[in-house]
Amino acid sequence: MAKHIILLMSLVALSFGFLASAFEPSPLQDFCVADPASSARLNGHVCKNPASVGANDFSFSGLHLPGNTSNPNGSRVTPVSVAQLPGLNTLGISMVRIDYAPWGINPPHTHPRATEILTVIEGSLEVGFVTSNPDNKFITKILQKGDVFVFPMGLVHFQRNVGTKNAVAIAGLSSQNPGVITIANAVFGSKPDVNADILAKAFQVDKSVVDQLQTKF
Ligand SMILES: *[C@@H]1O[C@H](CO)[C@@H](O)[C@H](O)[C@H]1NC(C)=O
Ligand SMILES: *[C@@H]1O[C@H](CO)[C@@H](O)[C@H](O)[C@H]1NC(C)=O
């Protein structure tokens, strides 16, 4: 009887442990290289047979190459997450290179699963994030080459090149698959559209303004 109670309590404690875990769990083996061929659905990817794993599974090439910034944002994110580097599976980490044309922006967005730590390799960037409700405090700074800035998990943030030359940043993210929600695209470019009356009320503007924004995204 007492044994059963202890077992039950351990199970409850264990499930609370899982609920309280806001980060990717610690790996239970050296690695679990993602097997893209598997059709099994689970949280992350199925492990490739360790016997057939090699150095290429842990490497990615090309991050020295500038991304193409000829787009309305004037920026380009080159991700190195589990989709590009299968060895990242279960390791809770990834990175990106971001290129910015002069005055280019990486528009306001959030990573639902990651904190981001960014360093400027070339140029200077204006960066910022906004804290949660109810404060919505705006934290912002101009970064120069070599400066490092952290965007806490889940918060809306952005970068802008404030120099006259191209800028480059490298960032690390605390997830193998950080995810991106670009605010403008998610709110005004969902498929199908969010009802324009709802957005008009939420943004306190005329419905025609929402209609215009919805045609752009
Ligand atoms: C960059 O992207 C633009 C717009 O998509 C395209 O026209 C151009 O050819 C690209 N440049 C390079 C070097 O790939
Ligand atoms: C700007 O960049 C974001 C994130 O990469 C992308 O989702 C969005 O489509 C881009 N917007 C435009 C107008 O190109």
Side-chain angles (χ1 to χ4, degrees):
M1 186 63 194
K3 246 189 198 166
H4 287 144
I5 289 171
I6 290 168
L7 184 67
L8 187 68
M9 279 166 66
S10 319
L11 282 175
V12 168
L14 205 61
S15 56
F16 273 113
F18 281 127
L19 287 179
S21 167
F23 299 89
E24 288 171 38
S26 303
L28 304 174
Q29 62 266 305
D30 280 356
F31 51 77
C32 168
V33 172
D35 178 3
S38 170
S39 61
R41 303 247 167 244
L42 47 75
N43 190 17
H45 300 274
V46 168
C47 308
K48 202 169 150 177
N49 181 352
S52 65
V53 158
N56 285 345
D57 291 307
F58 299 98
S59 101
F60 172 92
S61 296
L63 218 55
H64 62 301
L65 301 171
N68 186 342
T69 58
S70 301
N71 58 60
N73 289 322
S75 77
R76 173 73 61 182
V77 177
T78 306
V80 187
S81 53
V82 70
Q84 292 77 30
L85 205 172
L88 288 176
N89 191 37
T90 73
L91 297 184
I93 196 167
S94 61
M95 66 188 295
V96 294
R97 171 188 171 127
I98 315 173
D99 289 272
Y100 312 82
W103 301 103
I105 60 162
N106 184 9
H109 63 280
T110 85
H111 303 292
R113 292 176 287 279
T115 290
E116 173 173 354
I117 184 166
L118 173 146
T119 187
V120 180
I121 298 298
E122 276 310 328
S124 37
L125 294 179
E126 174 185 358
V127 301
F129 67 83
V130 178
T131 69
S132 304
N133 301 353
D135 292 351
N136 297 137
K137 186 174 176 187
F138 180 41
I139 310 270
T140 184
K141 187 169 164 62
I142 305 285
L143 305 182
Q144 308 298 343
K145 184 172 176 168
D147 290 350
V148 176
F149 197 83
V150 64
F151 304 103
M153 180 178 285
L155 301 188
V156 175
H157 62 281
F158 67 85
Q159 302 102 34
R160 173 164 73 157
N161 180 359
V162 287
T164 53
K165 297 197 191 117
N166 291 342
V168 183
I170 299 283
L173 295 118
S174 61
S175 169
Q176 66 177 43
N177 179 26
V180 187
I181 301 170
T182 304
I183 306 305
N185 297 63
V187 175
F188 298 107
S190 66
K191 296 167 210 75
D193 279 341
V194 174
N195 188 317
D197 292 322
I198 294 171
L199 295 180
K201 209 162 201 172
F203 285 82
Q204 314 246 312
V205 293
D206 199 81
K207 191 171 157 292
S208 62
V209 176
V210 172
D211 292 338
Q212 194 195 352
L213 284 165
Q214 282 180 328
T215 61
K216 283 189 189 288
F217 289 97

